[in-house]
Amino acid sequence: MSSEADFDDLVDKLGGFGKYQKRLLYLLLGPLFFIMPFPLLHQVFVLQVPDHSCVLPTDLSMESLGFKNETIYKEVMLPMAMDHTYTMAPSNCMYMNYSSDKLSTIKSRVSQLEADGTDMAEIKQFADETKQGVSEAACTEWKYDQSEFWDTAVTEENWVCEKQIYTADLFTLASVGLLVGTFIFSAIADFFGRKTSFYIGCASVIVFTLCMIPVSYSFTLFAIFKVLSSFGMMPIFQSPLSILCEISNIEKRSFVLCYGCVTWSIGQCVFPLVGWLIASWKILKAISVLPLALFFFTWKFLPESPRWLVIKGKKKEAIDILREIAETNSVVPPADLDMKIQKMVEATQEKSMGYLSLFSTKALALRTVCMT
């Protein structure tokens, strides 16, 4: 019988899915999976690009020119450009840099253009004729729609027009952080343990996410912290889930996974409501990650992976955890528990380089790169 089968048989003898496992499921894994959509998905709200329009210099404003109809004002003062719906509309990024003579002509025609019965075609014709030979100037200030959010990182730093690529870059960098973090935290989990990986992941997500708030003025710093804050996302999911699954009997592992998916889905449903209620990106960012700090109080509550301890030859630590499981589940551990663990240690003593073993041969390296 393999060491894997031996361990699963031992888990059954320790209560299978008793009070110890249920405590971890309902008091740690469930709340964790409920909270995780917050740090993982809050960027959707933080990087939201609301509807916006160019704010022209004072001498070109509606008031100074005498316009009362905003549609006609934009038709005359803004060049036409393709908007996000791929239709031609007044530009949000440029405005017509009219001379004083042109502005005088526009002022003299405002009342006529806004008079009842004036055909839109006539207004367009006047606008086209007036714009001929006039240069365009870039907008430096925008007015943002606040019907959904009071502010976002985009509205605060004006990441629109020539800077609109910043938003897409940040979403991409988040994925890069997840990918790179998977390799880094896989090494941490292999060398220092699954439990350690989980808590370092929590700390990195909290610290680097909060660091993004005061440095939004610098896109470079904001982007660096965005990548770093994504490093620890995967171990927060994987470590406690894998630990609980391995100390639960085979029949209940599907229930553990299903429960995690349900609590995750509930968290996904609740998070949009939280985002709508807060409607301010800095507060939302803080609230999205600070609840993770509560899980540091579970250090004594969450066990290290017994399988990892066995693989690393840490026989005493593995036995202590398994005896605690049996005691909590009101089960008498097998009399030969020490001997069983000793045999597993001898059979599974790790001689590999952890996840680096995936690159130990050309074939394995190629498969790893392709799957990644």
Side-chain angles (χ1 to χ4, degrees):
M1 185 178 290
S2 69
S3 58
E4 291 286 330
D6 287 340
F7 193 90
D8 289 335
D9 181 60
L10 184 58
V11 167
D12 285 329
K13 293 179 180 179
L14 297 175
F17 193 75
K19 181 179 178 181
Y20 189 93
Q21 289 83 355
K22 291 175 182 177
R23 185 177 64 185
L24 281 176
L25 178 64
Y26 298 127
L27 299 183
L28 193 153
L29 193 69
L32 175 65
F33 271 57
F34 173 80
I35 289 173
M36 274 311 297
F38 289 57
L40 187 63
L41 302 177
H42 75 273
Q43 63 180 349
V44 174
F45 298 98
V46 170
L47 300 178
Q48 172 71 16
V49 184
D51 291 337
H52 53 280
S53 58
C54 179
V55 177
L56 276 63
T58 305
D59 60 323
L60 301 179
S61 66
M62 288 182 64
E63 293 76 15
S64 63
L65 296 176
F67 281 97
K68 296 180 180 179
N69 187 308
E70 186 176 6
T71 301
I72 297 176
Y73 169 75
K74 289 184 176 181
E75 187 70 35
V76 175
M77 301 303 297
L78 303 177
M80 301 299 288
M82 188 174 294
D83 63 12
H84 64 281
T85 64
Y86 301 101
T87 57
M88 297 302 293
S91 175
N92 293 323
C93 301
M94 308 293 290
Y95 64 90
M96 304 307 301
N97 191 20
Y98 288 120
S99 64
S100 56
D101 291 339
K102 289 277 190 179
L103 290 176
S104 298
T105 301
I106 292 172
K107 287 181 180 180
S108 66
R109 294 288 300 276
V110 170
S111 58
Q112 180 183 345
L113 293 172
E114 293 188 339
D116 292 339
T118 303
D119 191 277
M120 196 63 193
E122 182 181 344
I123 297 172
K124 288 182 178 292
Q125 182 180 356
F126 170 76
D128 292 341
E129 292 174 354
T130 307
K131 291 175 183 177
Q132 289 182 2
V134 178
S135 62
E136 298 178 4
C139 297
T140 57
E141 186 179 351
W142 291 265
K143 179 181 178 182
Y144 295 93
D145 176 27
Q146 293 183 318
S147 61
E148 294 182 345
F149 298 97
W150 289 112
D151 59 69
T152 68
V154 173
T155 65
E156 185 168 305
E157 303 302 332
N158 289 324
W159 289 341
V160 293
C161 296
E162 73 274 7
K163 295 181 180 179
Q164 64 181 341
I165 192 64
Y166 286 5
T167 303
D169 288 345
L170 288 169
F171 280 109
T172 301
L173 289 171
S175 299
V176 171
L178 284 172
L179 178 61
V180 176
T182 299
F183 285 96
I184 293 174
F185 278 90
S186 292
I188 293 173
D190 278 342
F191 296 121
F192 303 105
R194 283 42 168 163
K195 178 178 178 178
T196 302
S197 174
F198 169 67
Y199 288 106
I200 293 177
C202 285
S204 68
V205 170
I206 294 171
V207 171
F208 292 125
T209 298
L210 294 179
C211 284
M212 295 171 67
I213 296 175
V215 301
S216 60
Y217 65 89
S218 169
F219 175 75
T220 301
L221 289 175
F222 194 87
I224 290 172
F225 284 126
K226 182 61 182 174
V227 174
L228 294 175
S229 68
S230 301
F231 278 6
M233 291 292 183
M234 293 309 293
I236 297 180
F237 282 104
Q238 294 173 341
S239 297
L241 179 62
S242 63
I243 291 173
L244 180 54
C245 283
E246 74 178 50
I247 62 174
S248 301
N249 56 11
I250 296 174
E251 293 78 11
K252 289 295 184 178
R253 289 173 188 172
S254 59
F255 173 73
V256 171
L257 293 170
C258 182
Y259 185 80
C261 291
V262 169
T263 52
W264 162 267
S265 299
I266 295 173
Q268 277 191 311
C269 294
V270 171
F271 180 58
L273 175 62
V274 174
W276 177 76
L277 290 172
I278 295 174
S280 181
W281 78 273
K282 291 181 179 179
I283 300 174
L284 180 61
K285 210 165 197 28
I287 287 178
S288 294
V289 296
L290 286 177
L292 290 175
L294 296 174
F295 291 99
F296 289 108
F297 294 102
T298 67
W299 176 264
K300 293 183 178 180
F301 184 61
L302 178 67
E304 181 53 88
S305 163
R307 289 180 187 267
W308 180 81
L309 293 171
V310 167
I311 290 172
K312 290 296 182 179
K314 299 183 178 184
K315 172 186 171 182
K316 182 180 182 304
E317 291 92 328
I319 292 173
D320 289 344
I321 291 173
L322 295 175
R323 289 190 181 280
E324 182 183 354
I325 293 174
E327 180 181 351
T328 306
N329 289 343
S330 301
V331 174
V332 178
D336 58 348
L337 177 63
D338 289 27
M339 185 176 67
K340 286 179 178 290
I341 296 301
Q342 181 60 42
K343 288 182 178 179
M344 291 181 195
V345 169
E346 294 171 355
T348 62
Q349 190 68 46
E350 186 177 52
K351 297 183 176 66
S352 72
M353 300 171 61
Y355 83 97
L356 294 177
S357 300
L358 296 172
F359 301 92
S360 58
T361 67
K362 290 183 178 180
L364 273 176
L366 179 60
R367 290 169 186 168
T368 301
V369 171
C370 289
M371 291 182 68
T372 302

